[in-house]
Amino acid sequence: MNRRVFGITGWKNSGKTTLTEKLVAELARRGWTVSTVKHAHHDFDIDKPGADSFRHRQAGATEVAVVSGRRWALMHELRNEEEPTLEAILARLAPSDIVLVEGYKREAHKKIETRRLDAKDKTPLSASDPNIVAIAADFAAEAGSLPVFDLDDVESIADFVEGVAGLRR
């Protein structure tokens, strides 16, 4: 399947999640179906100790699906498997107009780099990643030939993402 994928990347505390959230809202407002993939630290959990699904996983289930009339979730416990590739995760998603990918610094999809003055690391990622096609920053950032957006200018960033991803109205 040929998916439209666009990434939001940057160092810790650089504004990735906030920009992703705002882009999802803006693109959805424009009528697009948007899915997201977020790369997290290895020890994250979306389940609470004591919940039935948590108990199922603790007992040794590899996959646990939780289903209600409003939503469903599938948790896959890796046990001794390798972390799946981004491609493998994208293949499991339902069709959508675009998938926004937060994190995954080293993957080869087009992405925007977020930069904030109070980020933990300020080393520009774009210098070593040709897939970074723009910068969004909360300060006047140097980006060579790349377009630079104000981190809060979500409408302009969404216009740019639509263009790069090939979303046409």
Side-chain angles (χ1 to χ4, degrees), residues 64-96:
V64 177
V66 184
V67 184
S68 79
R70 292 184 184 257
R71 70 187 56 90
W72 68 271
L74 178 64
M75 288 172 283
H76 183 96
E77 212 43 54
L78 288 175
R79 306 287 176 211
N80 294 317
E81 301 168 67
E82 291 290 312
E83 178 180 319
T85 63
L86 176 58
E87 281 304 313
I89 296 303
L90 291 171
R92 295 193 74 155
L93 294 179
S96 63

Side-chain angles (χ1 to χ4, degrees), residues 107-127:
E107 295 287 334
H109 56 276
K110 302 282 184 228
K111 37 190 155 345
I112 189 167
E113 178 184 347
T114 57
R115 296 182 187 170
R116 282 181 44 212
L117 281 174
D118 55 356
K120 296 255 187 282
D121 191 332
K122 293 186 183 60
T123 310
L125 294 169
S126 58

